[in-house]
Amino acid sequence: MHNGIDIAMPKGAPVGATVGGKVVYAGFGEKGSGYGGYGNVVVVKDAQGRLHQYSHLDSIGVKVGQTVPSGALVGKAGSTGRSTGPHLDYVVKNSKGQHIDPTGFITGKQAKVPMGLQRAKDIDIPKSSYSNTWKTQKEALKAPGYQAYKGHLKTALQSGKIPATWVVPLTELIGRESTWNAKADNSKSTAWGYGQFLESTRKDYEKKTGLSYNNPVNQIIMTAQYVKDRYGTPEKALQHWDKNKWY
């Protein structure tokens, strides 16, 4: 039984500690170690005695006994051990050795995952600190393009260009923009696609990213980049929209 979450990451992507603490294990998970099958593993014990396990790493960047702050590099993502491809397997246990939900340690706050995304079985979805996901809650499962969007989102996440923690708010944002329709066309302007990019914005971001906006996967990646450039995060973008009563 898998008690953690798998986060799609490209090989070599930096893996940061979700919390500060002391490194209690750093090495290959040999049989009998308690980490057999996990490949290269780093385990950090936090101040409350919880164990944070980072597995299938390509390389390890810390040593046992070392104290690391939150965000410190513990290693690089990989596919060592029993793994079908590059990703990070993140597991958290409490001081009694019981598995606990790890998503709150990634986002810093637990919040409800919209129903439309709860049913996205093929995507690992950390919870988000943004909870006003009315569009996803009410319309995702009924939207004709939503199933295709989930497939495009999964591929976009595998590119490593979108943080896994952005899944919920970015999905809400794209839903409000285009109702998850990669071919959404605004008859009153040149706005088009998942991110409703104007023609000038498409040209700017195709030049900046080297990607073609005609590809639905690229639309998601480019929308995420635009959000990062303008707002910092999709949560901040949505908070700005809510404040100004947009959408």
Side-chain angles (χ1 to χ4, degrees), residues 114-218:
M115 182 58 71
L117 284 172
Q118 286 177 351
R119 298 185 183 182
K121 300 297 185 182
D122 54 348
I123 304 175
D124 294 298
I125 307 165
K127 295 180 183 179
S128 170
S129 60
Y130 183 81
S131 60
N132 187 25
T133 53
W134 61 267
K135 181 78 174 184
T136 309
Q137 293 276 9
K138 293 181 179 179
E139 300 182 28
L141 295 180
K142 298 182 292 184
Y146 187 69
Q147 296 305 317
Y149 165 77
K150 289 194 296 183
H152 296 151
L153 174 63
K154 181 179 179 181
T155 303
L157 286 168
Q158 291 172 341
S159 73
K161 296 179 180 179
I162 300 176
T165 52
W166 281 28
V167 168
V168 171
L170 185 63
T171 293
E172 174 68 14
L173 185 150
I174 288 176
R176 294 189 195 181
E177 284 281 13
S178 63
T179 314
W180 308 284
N181 182 356
K183 297 182 179 179
D185 189 3
N186 189 325
S187 60
K188 297 181 180 180
S189 71
T190 60
W192 178 72
Y194 279 140
Q196 287 293 281
F197 275 22
L198 296 172
E199 183 177 357
S200 59
T201 307
R202 291 200 298 272
K203 290 181 178 179
D204 288 343
Y205 275 80
E206 285 183 333
K207 182 177 181 180
K208 179 170 185 173
T209 64
L211 301 174
S212 170
Y213 191 74
N214 291 327
N215 183 310
V217 174
N218 291 345

